[in-house]
């Protein structure tokens, strides 16, 4: 059968079980969009308002569904608009397949209209990319892209297809596969690791985004119970275990809980699972590894000994590796260590303040939305408040930009996550600064009738920047006060959504009691501009330097 | 710090050298010498000399071996 390049793209998407793509059309992808039109019954296309948000939406889709998110964009500015979203996905190891059009092959390298060397631009921020030079290799490239995106440590793959290739035809018999190499994992030797775990007096498990990516939730819980060991989390791993689990000691790192900092300080063996010891989580590497042995298990061997020197580095797929560890590890009891965990965790006290503060805002939203609701965040103080105060009970349902820390990530991600779940409600916690970066995507949420709950923590400032300026720059508030007159509820209504201004807890509860089923609701929640995200360990500090009270 | 040479067997395609050079740049490593030679079956051999310590060398080789256009990456004498 003779197929055009554009048709091969669509057939390849269907062959790889793609049901939804996100994108924005343009001249260089018109042939593909023409094929999409003919195949509307097979693939849904979500038309976003900006290509960056399209990538964030595909990212959110991928995190919730565990399938690759797919994005289609045109050449030139369409492709360059994808860069931040691709980098976000790369640093958080999210599988995406990004298809960009380009000018005709004969025009490449001649500064043609809307020509951009997107493969050159994105090479540092993708797992791999392809520039297709012949329609005969296109089917093989498409299949290879999906395989690469999903195997090992997941990540984005970009395919750049010149328009002439999209229009060229070839027979299926003439398909050829690109030359590339997979990196199969060997079974690691776990004997030494299991022996170290058995002998440890105060073992601590440190779970990261890799646990979520591997869906090793059950294995993590079983391991914590087998070892009788507490679990601390990086931000990306926080949804790997229910907050109600007795072994859950919360997030560690710069904005981690005091309990996790104490446990890290006192443990004699740290079992690190799917983490990369980023500076935000580990702080000073030498102080971090003091007085403890570290076993690090990760699917990516380049993460072993990258930031923190470990005693045992094991390359392995987490779910499979933890299953084998559990087979070899006898059930143990550590009553003294368990008592220490209970002591440092203390008894959580509900917030008694009647005014609207982060402590009661997040808990109240969680109460009305239920434990199954996925949660997206943007970046800033509200992100840290979400980690501190939102009770995560559903595994893997947190969507946040960890590695790149992309403001504007949240709305696109919430859209993608809602679509991945057939239009279910997703909560987005954002700030007035972050929301301003992507609010045009409200139009998309309204068009596709998505019941998003968008909670804007509106303090009139770039909160995290202001916090650092207060703590480290002697209150020299340089360009962090927004001084804007934006009426977010009116803006929401202008887009076709609903919106309300919230100044009290009672107003919040009243609004949450009437959540619309088929459109977004924007809650403009007014918070004090000097509210801090605490506790906090200053950069390069340790548990002794933790700031728990606002002293500024 | 010492001078060492890495040998890579890669796919012989445009952009592969750019990708590999990008890894060196990301690690703030200067390429001192570069030798390229095509091999049969669409492959290429690169020999790259640089200066660095052992920790950096291990990390660099791991990063290079992750690339999908790289079949093998090793230090040679």
């Amino acid at each position: 059968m003779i197929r055009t390049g554009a048709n091969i793209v669509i057939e390849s998407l269907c062959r790889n079980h793609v049901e939804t793509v996100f994108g924005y059309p343009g001249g260089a992808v018109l042939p593909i969009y023409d094929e999409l039109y003919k195949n509307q019954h097979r693939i849904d296309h979500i038309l976003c308002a900006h290509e960056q948000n399209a990538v964030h939406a595909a990212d959110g889709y991928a995190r919730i569904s565990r399938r690759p998110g797919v994005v289609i964009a045109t050449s030139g500015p369409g492709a360059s608009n994808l860069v931040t979203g691709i980098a976000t996905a790369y640093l958080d190891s999210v599988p995406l397949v990004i298809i960009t059009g380009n000018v005709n092959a004969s025009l490449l390298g001649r500064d043609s209209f809307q020509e951009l060397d997107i493969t050159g631009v994105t090479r540092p921020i993708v797992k791999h990319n392809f520039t297709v030079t012949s329609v005969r290799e296109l089917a093989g490239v498409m299949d290879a892209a999906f395989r690469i995106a999903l195997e090992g440590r997941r990540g984005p793959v970009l395919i750049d297809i010149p328009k002439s290739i999209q229009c060229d035809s070839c027979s299926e018999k003439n398909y050829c596969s690109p030359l590339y190499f997979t990196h199969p994992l060997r079974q690691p030797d776990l004997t030494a690791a299991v022996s170290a775990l058995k002998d440890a007096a105060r073992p601590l498990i440190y779970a990261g985004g890799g646990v979520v990516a591997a869906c090793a939730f059950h294995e993590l819980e079983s391991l914590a119970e087998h070892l009788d060991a507490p679990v601390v989390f990086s931000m990306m791993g926080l949804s790997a275990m229910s907050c109600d689990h007795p072994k859950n000691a919360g997030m560690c790192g710069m904005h981690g809980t005091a309990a996790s900092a104490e446990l890290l300080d006192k443990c004699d063996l740290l079992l690190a699972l799917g983490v990369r010891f980023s500076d935000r989580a580990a702080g000073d590497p030498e102080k971090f590894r003091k007085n403890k042995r570290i076993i690090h298990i990760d699917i990516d061997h380049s993460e072993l000994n990258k930031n923190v020197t470990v005693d045992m580095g094991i390359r392995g797929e987490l779910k499979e590796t933890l299953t084998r560890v559990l087979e070899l590890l006898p059930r143990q009891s550590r009553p003294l260590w368990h008592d220490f965990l209970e002591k440092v965790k203390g008894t959580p006290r509900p917030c008694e303040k009647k005014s609207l503060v982060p402590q009661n805002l997040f808990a109240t939203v969680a109460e009305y939305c239920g434990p199954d609701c996925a949660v997206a965040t943007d970046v800033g103080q509200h992100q840290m408040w979400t980690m501190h105060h939102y009770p995560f009970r559903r595994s893997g349902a947190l969507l946040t930009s960890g590695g790149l820390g992309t403001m504007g990530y949240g709305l696109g991600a919430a859209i993608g996550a809602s679509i991945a779940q057939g239009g279910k409600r997703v909560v987005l916690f954002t700030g007035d600064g972050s929301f301003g970066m992507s609010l045009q995507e409200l139009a998309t949420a309204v068009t596709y009738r998505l019941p998003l709950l968008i909670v804007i923590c509106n303090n009139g400032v770039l909160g995290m920047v202001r916090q650092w300026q207060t703590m480290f720059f002697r209150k020299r508030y340089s360009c962090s006060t927004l001084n804007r007159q934006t009426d977010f509820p009116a803006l929401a209504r202008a887009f076709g959504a609903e919106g309300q201004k919230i100044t009290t807890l009672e107003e919040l509860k009243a609004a949450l009691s009437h959540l619309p089923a088929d459109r977004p609701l924007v809650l403009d929640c007014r918070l004090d501009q000097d509210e801090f995200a605490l506790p906090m360990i200053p950069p390069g500090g340790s548990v002794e330097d933790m700031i728990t009270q606002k002293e500024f | 710090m010492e001078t060492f040479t890495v040998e890579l067997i890669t796919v012989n395609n445009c952009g592969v050298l750019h990708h590999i050079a990008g890894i060196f740049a990301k690690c703030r490593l200067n390429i001192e010498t570069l030798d390229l030679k095509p091999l049969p079956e669409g492959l290429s051999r690169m020999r790259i000399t640089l200066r660095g310590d052992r920790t950096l060398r291990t990390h660099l080789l791991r990063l290079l071996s992750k690339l999908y256009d790289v079949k093998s990456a090793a230090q040679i004498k």
Side-chain angles (χ1 to χ4, degrees):
Chain A
M1 184 173 179
I2 305 288
R3 295 193 189 276
T4 63
N7 184 248
I8 291 171
V9 167
I10 302 305
E11 291 302 320
S12 299
L13 291 177
C14 293
R15 191 169 55 247
N16 286 282
H17 312 294
V18 172
E19 296 169 352
T20 306
V21 302
F22 301 85
Y24 200 94
V29 282
L30 279 177
I32 293 176
Y33 272 83
D34 195 49
E35 284 297 321
L36 271 175
Y37 182 85
K38 297 175 199 166
N39 288 275
Q40 292 172 69
H41 56 289
R42 298 164 82 193
I43 298 180
D44 287 330
H45 179 280
I46 306 299
L47 177 61
C48 296
H50 191 284
E51 289 93 346
Q52 179 177 337
N53 297 320
V55 189
H56 292 324
D59 180 313
Y61 181 97
R63 291 186 200 219
I64 285 289
S65 69
R66 315 270 182 252
R67 298 203 303 266
V70 178
V71 189
I72 303 175
T74 192
S75 63
S80 59
N81 278 342
L82 302 171
V83 171
T84 300
I86 295 173
T88 304
Y90 180 70
L91 280 168
D92 288 345
S93 306
V94 178
L96 298 181
V97 173
I98 305 116
I99 300 167
T100 55
N102 212 329
V103 300
N104 285 341
S106 59
L107 294 175
L108 285 171
R110 299 178 188 219
D111 301 325
S112 310
F113 177 66
Q114 292 195 331
E115 179 194 355
L116 183 71
D117 177 18
I118 193 62
T119 48
V121 167
T122 57
R123 237 175 229 120
I125 53 168
V126 291
K127 266 189 93 171
H128 192 62
N129 57 21
F130 298 92
T131 298
V132 181
T133 54
S134 161
V135 67
R136 291 171 53 232
E137 68 179 23
L138 183 50
V141 163
M142 291 288 298
D143 288 345
F146 279 91
R147 220 165 22 245
I148 294 170
L150 285 171
E151 72 182 10
R153 184 178 188 174
R154 296 174 163 198
V157 178
L158 183 138
I159 308 167
D160 192 40
I161 312 175
K163 193 171 180 180
S164 51
I165 307 289
Q166 296 170 39
C167 297
D168 281 348
S169 311
C170 79
S171 158
E172 280 175 344
K173 289 182 206 166
N174 291 334
Y175 286 175
C176 61
S177 283
L179 184 62
Y180 83 102
F181 306 103
T182 56
H183 302 282
L185 295 173
R186 286 193 298 271
Q187 296 277 0
D189 180 3
L190 300 168
T191 320
V194 169
S195 176
L197 288 168
K198 274 197 295 197
D199 295 341
R202 301 180 300 282
L204 177 66
I205 301 173
Y206 173 28
V211 177
V212 176
C215 294
F217 312 120
H218 172 71
E219 289 77 8
L220 175 67
E221 271 189 34
S222 300
L223 186 62
E225 287 159 10
H226 251 68
L227 269 178
D228 198 12
V231 187
V232 297
F233 302 86
S234 69
M235 186 176 72
M236 297 304 292
L238 195 53
S239 65
M241 183 186 264
S242 170
C243 62
D244 298 321
H245 195 286
K247 293 298 179 193
N248 187 330
M251 186 172 79
C252 66
M254 178 179 277
H255 284 281
T257 60
S260 68
E262 287 288 340
L263 290 164
L264 275 166
D265 193 51
K266 297 289 186 294
C267 72
D268 63 347
L269 184 135
L270 184 72
L271 176 63
L273 307 175
V275 301
R276 53 190 188 89
F277 294 105
S278 91
D279 56 293
R280 280 298 188 264
D284 184 301
E286 286 310 310
K287 286 183 191 172
F288 185 86
R289 70 178 316 279
K290 207 172 60 167
N291 299 331
K292 59 173 79 69
R293 297 183 72 193
I294 303 178
I295 301 173
H296 186 190
I297 304 178
D298 200 278
I299 198 167
D300 182 354
H301 66 328
S302 72
E303 290 296 341
L304 306 176
N305 292 306
K306 182 182 86 176
N307 289 331
V308 171
T309 305
V310 300
D311 297 275
M312 254 180 262
I314 299 171
R315 184 189 187 189
E317 194 280 328
L318 261 182
K319 200 173 176 73
E320 189 185 312
T321 306
L322 292 184
T323 304
R324 290 188 56 222
V325 167
L326 285 164
E327 286 166 4
L328 298 169
L329 192 66
R331 204 170 187 95
Q332 296 177 291
S333 176
R334 294 177 168 87
L336 292 175
W337 190 221
H338 178 80
D339 290 344
F340 182 76
L341 168 64
E342 293 298 309
K343 179 184 154 200
V344 294
K345 273 177 74 169
T347 309
R349 283 175 300 179
C351 177
E352 289 167 356
K353 288 186 180 174
K354 299 291 179 222
S355 57
L356 194 63
V357 291
Q359 292 87 337
N360 54 31
L361 175 123
F362 290 82
T364 305
V365 171
E367 190 187 314
Y368 280 79
C369 290
D372 279 340
C373 199
V375 175
T377 82
D378 266 302
V379 170
Q381 286 182 319
H382 65 273
Q383 183 187 34
M384 293 302 110
W385 289 330
T386 306
M387 305 309 148
H388 291 155
H389 304 302
Y390 194 92
F392 291 103
R393 296 192 171 92
R394 178 183 156 191
S395 300
L398 169 62
L399 311 154
T400 194
S401 172
L404 196 62
T406 306
M407 287 175 70
Y409 166 79
L411 183 51
I415 288 170
S418 180
I419 286 169
Q421 300 173 97
K424 271 177 71 174
R425 177 164 291 109
V426 174
V427 178
L428 166 64
F429 292 108
T430 183
D432 45 326
S434 286
F435 191 61
M437 291 204 176
S438 58
L439 57 84
Q440 76 267 51
E441 225 56 50
L442 273 176
T444 308
V446 168
T447 302
Y448 292 96
R449 300 165 67 84
L450 303 176
L452 307 182
L453 173 61
I454 300 167
V455 179
I456 305 175
C457 300
N458 188 349
N459 53 8
V461 295
L462 299 177
M464 190 58 85
V465 173
R466 183 184 174 89
Q467 180 170 326
W468 280 59
Q469 287 171 335
T470 306
M471 293 168 103
F472 307 118
F473 289 88
R474 298 188 188 177
K475 299 186 182 181
R476 292 190 292 271
Y477 298 129
S478 174
C479 305
S480 56
T481 304
L482 291 177
N483 267 335
R484 293 175 182 164
Q485 305 300 313
T486 312
D487 185 343
F488 285 113
L491 198 60
R493 286 189 286 276
F495 276 104
E498 291 184 23
Q500 284 186 51
K501 182 174 161 183
I502 306 289
T503 55
T504 65
L505 200 53
E506 288 66 37
E507 284 176 358
L508 177 65
K509 288 178 180 174
L512 293 173
S513 305
H514 299 95
L515 294 172
D518 61 352
R519 70 190 67 192
L521 170 63
V522 173
L523 298 181
D524 178 8
C525 300
R526 298 304 174 96
L527 298 176
D528 181 60
Q529 68 180 14
D530 286 316
E531 198 67 60
F532 269 24
L534 293 174
M536 177 175 172
I537 299 176
S542 61
V543 63
E544 292 91 22
D545 308 311
M546 180 175 274
I547 302 166
T548 54
Q549 304 279 349
K550 193 175 149 194
E551 298 152 357
F552 306 91
Chain B
M1 291 272 278
E2 55 184 24
T3 300
F4 60 96
T5 302
V6 299
E7 181 176 274
L8 309 172
I9 307 294
T10 75
V11 174
N12 191 355
N13 258 348
C14 74
V16 175
L17 179 59
H18 178 216
H19 203 167
I20 288 165
I23 299 288
F24 281 77
K26 177 180 169 178
C27 297
R28 301 291 182 262
L29 290 169
N30 190 39
I31 294 174
E32 300 204 339
T33 70
L34 174 65
D35 178 68
L36 286 147
K37 180 181 166 179
L39 297 176
E41 296 176 12
L43 298 176
S44 179
R45 188 196 73 197
M46 295 183 193
R47 284 187 179 158
I48 303 171
T49 304
L50 64 149
R51 285 180 63 79
D53 59 36
R54 201 168 70 167
T55 310
L56 200 60
R57 188 166 57 216
T58 307
H59 183 54
L60 175 69
L61 287 170
R62 284 178 173 176
L63 286 177
L64 290 170
S65 65
K66 270 170 59 172
L67 300 183
Y68 279 85
D69 287 327
V70 173
K71 181 173 169 60
S72 70
Q75 182 192 352
I76 60 167
K77 295 219 192 288

